[in-house]
Amino acid sequence: MQLENEFVIMDKELVIKYQEYESVSELDVVDRELMQRAVEAAEGAYAPYSGFHVGAALRLKDGTIVIGSNQENVAYPSGLCAERTAVFAASAQRPDYRDYEALAIVGRNAEGKLCEASPCGACRQVLSEYEHLQHHPLRVICYLEGGRVRVFPSVVTLLPFSFEF
Ligand code: THU
């Protein structure tokens, strides 16, 4: 369809704020523990096809931690990322308490080295819906190469203008 008289009224700019830390040890104690749980969670990954193991640890408002890891399948699209495994498990186990404070994510490559795992688009969409439900931010804490850490203060910073219904 041809839109007539279409013109740009004004360029807009989006600024995304996030934090980076030089080391996991700079995080506060609860986030440090969460990242440690994500590292442990990666042990549960089933990733024979990619060889890339991902661990995720989700902290609920009451301090409960629910973990997830990537689960692959020979029918590739049937597998699931660590982040969605964790958040879906939490939602299924505590449907009366969908109150999520922070999610830590870490990858482990085929050589066994810890590395960055940034949530994929589908995971961002899923996380975004739970964040909308709870009306407060869900922080996302990503491990980076060399032990640094990136903290997104909310899922909105990872997926602005997300689809809502
Ligand atoms: N993967 C995750 O579990 N989370 C991410 O943030 C990125 C990718 C998984 C999917 C697949 O099993 C493997 O990593 C390689 O893409």
Side-chain angles (χ1 to χ4, degrees):
M1 193 179 74
Q2 186 73 37
L3 285 177
E4 282 176 35
N5 299 326
E6 194 187 356
F7 57 94
V8 177
I9 296 169
M10 199 174 129
D11 284 334
K12 311 260 186 184
E13 201 174 15
L14 178 69
V15 176
I16 293 175
K17 292 202 175 171
Y18 58 91
Q19 291 82 45
E20 275 190 13
Y21 296 86
E22 281 307 306
S23 154
V24 176
S25 62
E26 288 175 23
L27 295 173
D28 69 24
V29 64
V30 282
D31 287 348
R32 226 165 36 226
E33 189 204 338
L34 196 65
M35 186 54 81
Q36 182 53 38
R37 294 291 300 274
V39 171
E40 290 162 16
E43 305 283 320
Y46 174 65
Y49 305 104
S50 71
F52 190 66
H53 294 213
V54 183
L58 179 72
R59 187 173 68 243
L60 278 56
K61 199 76 186 264
D62 68 359
T64 308
I65 293 176
V66 177
I67 60 160
S69 52
N70 55 329
Q71 302 296 318
E72 298 183 350
N73 190 271
V74 65
Y76 290 6
S78 306
L80 199 64
C81 294
E83 297 90 323
R84 273 176 288 163
T85 305
V87 80
F88 284 157
S91 176
Q93 288 164 25
R94 302 276 300 275
D96 55 332
Y97 198 78
R98 294 191 178 105
D99 208 336
Y100 311 135
E101 206 170 67
L103 176 71
I105 309 158
V106 62
R108 189 186 279 281
N109 67 18
E111 288 82 51
K113 192 166 166 277
L114 293 182
C115 49
E116 177 176 350
S118 187
C120 77
C123 286
R124 290 175 195 214
Q125 178 63 40
V126 165
L127 294 172
S128 161
E129 181 150 337
Y130 289 111
E131 184 175 78
H132 276 117
L133 266 183
Q134 67 185 19
H135 301 297
H136 66 80
L138 162 58
R139 292 164 58 249
V140 178
I141 307 168
C142 299
Y143 184 93
L144 302 182
E145 308 296 341
R148 290 180 304 114
V149 183
R150 184 174 292 147
V151 179
F152 295 96
S154 127
V155 181
V156 175
T157 57
L158 284 166
L159 190 68
F161 305 113
S162 67
F163 175 66
E164 273 180 86
F165 197 63

